[in-house]
């Protein structure tokens, strides 16, 4: 049974930083695509960052490029999202996602939620002005 468990969310003031973690069990992150998505109240789920864990190939949405960094730790079977210079638009529930095993995604697919099979429960990030 695949489980993705997010942690690290919380409340922070604008300009601050948070680091989200996603621990995977029942799923080896090596050779697979992992991603972070977010969903704010009343808005659609948005892909913010994706990583192909074997090569550390990464993709970011324009809204977070230059501020967020996705990374992985194969030894701990975990993926991380370092978020810097946060603003109120970053307030959302953040979800970790994993693609079907050994599936290659075209760059245009990496931030599309339908391409990911496994999902965590989410961790809330709230940024106050």
């Amino acid at each position: 049974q695949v489980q993705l468990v997010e942690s690290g969310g919380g409340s922070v003031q604008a300009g601050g930083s948070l680091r989200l973690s996603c621990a995977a069990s029942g799923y080896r992150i090596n050779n697979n695509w992992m991603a972070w998505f977010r969903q704010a109240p009343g808005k659609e789920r948005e892909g913010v960052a994706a990583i192909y864990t074997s090569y550390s190939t990464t993709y970011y949405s324009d809204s977070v490029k230059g501020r967020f960094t996705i990374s992985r730790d194969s030894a701990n079977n975990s993926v991380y999202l370092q978020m810097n210079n946060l603003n109120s638009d970053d307030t959302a529930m953040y979800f970790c996602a994993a693609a079907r095993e050994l599936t290659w995604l075209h760059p245009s697919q990496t931030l599309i939620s339908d391409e990911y099979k496994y999902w965590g429960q989410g961790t809330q990030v709230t940024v106050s002005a």
Side-chain angles (χ1 to χ4, degrees), residues 104-117:
W104 177 256
L105 298 180
H106 186 274
S108 64
Q109 297 173 297
T110 57
L111 298 179
I112 305 298
S113 59
D114 286 346
E115 301 296 342
Y116 291 85
K117 180 178 180 180

Side-chain angles (χ1 to χ4, degrees), residues 46-123:
E46 172 194 16
V48 296
I51 185 168
Y52 182 66
T53 54
S54 294
Y55 305 139
S56 291
T57 301
T58 58
Y59 295 95
Y60 298 93
S61 67
D62 288 342
S63 60
V64 306
K65 198 172 296 182
R67 300 188 298 121
F68 290 12
T69 303
I70 188 171
S71 62
R72 89 290 188 259
D73 181 344
S74 298
N76 288 317
N77 212 39
S78 296
V79 175
Y80 306 96
L81 186 68
Q82 177 66 43
M83 306 185 295
N84 297 329
N85 194 22
L86 287 160
N87 59 61
S88 57
D89 290 337
D90 298 316
T91 294
M93 184 73 77
Y94 283 72
F95 298 90
C96 176
R100 187 183 302 274
E101 292 89 333
L102 303 180
T103 297
W104 177 256
L105 298 180
H106 186 274
S108 64
Q109 297 173 297
T110 57
L111 298 179
I112 305 298
S113 59
D114 286 346
E115 301 296 342
Y116 291 85
K117 180 178 180 180
Y118 307 105
W119 292 83
Q121 293 299 308
T123 186

